[in-house]
Amino acid sequence: MSHLEVLLLDDEPIVGKRLKPALAKVGCEVEVFQDPVLALKRIDEKDFDVVVTDISMAEVDGMQVLEHVVAKNNRTKVIMITGFAMMSLAREAMEKGAFDFIAKPFKPDDLRLIIARAAEALGKPIDFEINDNG
Amino acid sequence: MASIIISSDSSLTAARVADTIVDKAGFSIVNRGILPEVAERYKTGEDLLSKALDSPSGFLAMSPKIRQRYMAYIQAVTLEKLLPDNVVCFGLGAHLYAKGVSHFLKVRILTQPEQLVKELHPAGPVPAHKVSKMIARHEKDRTRWSRDVYGRDETNANLYDLVISLNQIEEKEAVKIITKTAANRQFVPMTYSLNCVKEFILASQVRAKLIERFPECRVRADGENMVIHIQALKRNQKKYASLVKEVAGTVPGVKHVEVHVITDFIGQAVESSR
């Protein structure tokens, strides 16, 4: 089984606390950040397979993180998560190169499914059964 | 890829454009071919469903409430057909109820007046002085129809991502513009937009089950949870709330139902004046 290098960025500590073990279960090596500035610094240092980022954050928002990641390495799959989902935001994220966009709250399995799709797209499949036709 | 929802002042133009998109870009089609399925599922007549879609509103026409009921049945099945992507849909009013889904590309096509007149009056040529009157009346009827059923004016350009006038652009060019736009990244289906469609489907299925008994009901899905608003007289509120819960709970996929009962003040006033 391949393992994926994942950076998870959300200014709410509970999100990282909850999702890190959930993603570790499917073979992801997860680095969690609450501060987007520190996350961007880390992205500059290391090429991640997947970046999962919240959108609404102080200082630097998720769209800026997305643009930064795409400019640095467009192989990295960026997954946007937000509690304020709406059509215009979703379209903007996809246009800027997001791999997927999901509204909070979601179940850990929902994110694992997206990560599994990202892993497939990267040619590094992980051990998670994709049985959702969406 | 995106799904495309076409609305037009001319049903023949919408059909032609949709067929060309299917031929050229490999989309599948959702059109009035689904009406027999709707009729069977909701035990109603296909002719009544067609009438709800086509007949103009007016004093002697189908009442808005009855029309809303048939449209609720059509809506529930149409949205199911829109769940897979790469679909082109027309003729089912989807531009009015498939709202806020980022991978639905909504297109309004304005046909040439002479083409529209031919369609509205297939029997033969129409005197020049009557043409604009005929078109204006047709537009007024459609506007009234969309307002009666969905409270929105379907001729409002704000409802659409793309408005194309065939007065200036050839039909084959219009098809190219539509398919090119549909291929843009912002219309790519994503988890969020697919979940929106799933929630719309569930809410529509629940509403279709309730609408005959509760024509004013409003239904919203939040995942597998349903939030339902109905109107009732004070003395019936408890009874109807539990009835709504029971009926909504029979729809596959519904886990939890929250019912809000608004007092029917008009009914209440009528009752207390007796």
Side-chain angles (χ1 to χ4, degrees), chain A residues 86 91 94 98 100-101 114 134, chain B residues 102 104 161 185 191-192 194:
Chain A
M86 58 178 129
R91 282 183 174 172
M94 295 310 275
D100 206 341
F101 183 105
I114 299 171
Chain B
S102 61
F104 286 171
D161 298 299
R185 267 202 62 88
T191 301
Y192 166 63
L194 291 166

Side-chain angles (χ1 to χ4, degrees), chain A residues 85-87 90-103 107 110 114 117 132-134, chain B residues 83 99-106 161 185-195 198 224 255:
Chain A
M86 58 178 129
M87 187 173 80
R91 282 183 174 172
E92 186 187 344
M94 295 310 275
E95 193 182 9
K96 286 183 170 163
F99 177 75
D100 206 341
F101 183 105
I102 185 167
K107 296 175 192 147
D110 298 334
I114 299 171
R117 286 205 196 106
D132 183 307
N133 59 10
Chain B
L83 184 57
K99 296 180 287 186
V101 177
S102 61
H103 71 268
F104 286 171
L105 170 64
K106 291 203 211 174
D161 298 299
R185 267 202 62 88
Q186 71 255 48
F187 296 105
V188 170
M190 66 195 84
T191 301
Y192 166 63
S193 63
L194 291 166
N195 285 345
K198 286 175 192 166
E224 296 155 322
K255 284 252 167 81

